[in-house]
Amino acid sequence: MLNACKADCGSQRNRTSRRDRRIAVTVVEPAFRAGTAQGTTAAPEVAALFEPFTVNGLMLPNRIAMAPMTRYMSPGGVPDAAVAGYYARRAEGGTGLIITEGTLVGDPACVAPAGVPRIHGEDALAGWAGVVDAVHAAGGTIVPQLWHVGIYREPGFVPEPPLTAVGPSGLDLAGEPFTEPMTDAQLAVAVDAYVRAAVDAQRIGFDGVELHAAHGFLIDQFLWPATNRRTDAYGGPPAARARFGAEVVAAIRRATGPDFPIILRFSQWKVTDFQARIAQDPDELADLLAPLTAAGVDAYHVSTRRFWLPAFDGSRLSLPAWTRRVTGRPVIAVGSVGLADSDFQEAFEGAATRPASLERAVAAVEAGEFDLLAVGRAVLSDPYWAAKIRDGRTDELRPFDPASLETLT
């Protein structure tokens, strides 16, 4: 199930304040960046997706992002040259922003299957520095997704047996008692793990960070009433349920400074419950996101099964569109973007797929309903998906093939 949830111009900030950069990145004119040949103009029908965009000073050459997708291919949790090549090819292929697969923060209670990368320990950080350098050399921008699974557990998680799980109320994703509620000390350990990961990401040259606050993992376990039944300041109304996430964001902002982009990914659905909801209406959504925005979130990455579906009764607006409306922050939309005939879960289970039309996505960007589009399975199967879309070579697009999950092509 983990695979089901992971899955402004120029691509480099060109700021002299970036610390401990492993290699110098050659400054290239924007027209050459992210796989875009000099003088290339996007096909008119997708031109809106290939306009530049800026998130807190981070200049992106276009509106296409690579969605995070767990690959289980980092031996010992350390991304190697194969991982670096995998991400660099997507940057070469025209993807404006790379969001890495989930990377485990350094809380001992945060565990996952073997092969999932971590973002703590000098060996893993050196591996990620190689990834960053490869993506930058290819003209791309890249942020790591910082991930704490919280109380979520599956067979095969390492270490085995897993250390004690942590969650807001000690409830599993079915709402059943699993362990004791998180203590103040455990909350502090988790916040510190996120902060150390963000500081290290900044140090080795990442262009920002994304917090995984979706799909039933730790921050989302606080947002979701089914797993957060606390009666203290972290539970109850939406704003209180957002407090833990807001504390993480605020602590990262203090540690990394005002100009380091922080993206937050959230969802209604969970890996165990596609019908779950953290907000029942736009007012609840506004209340839930307000503390996170105030704490320093620069952009929201809104994960839905189908990005175009209405979020709430009585309105045609999608969850990304409502998020843009109630926060005023840039929004990345994701959910079955590149798949026709099926959604992402059906595709993972082997359903035949073909490339989807991007008319709805283009219309939504042109209407200001959201700002960027994250693509998962289509980019996984075809590293040059973005360039082919840009150049009108849709007849060359590769359909998603579940076999691509087994390789780092």
Side-chain angles (χ1 to χ4, degrees), residues 266 279 281-290 312 319 322-323 326:
F266 78 94
D281 55 47
D283 289 340
E284 280 197 1
L285 183 69
D287 290 345
L288 191 77
L289 298 181
F312 305 110
L319 191 61
W322 271 115
T323 301
V326 303

Side-chain angles (χ1 to χ4, degrees), residues 108-123:
C110 178
V111 300
V116 172
R118 49 187 162 84
I119 193 161
H120 61 91
E122 287 307 311
D123 55 349

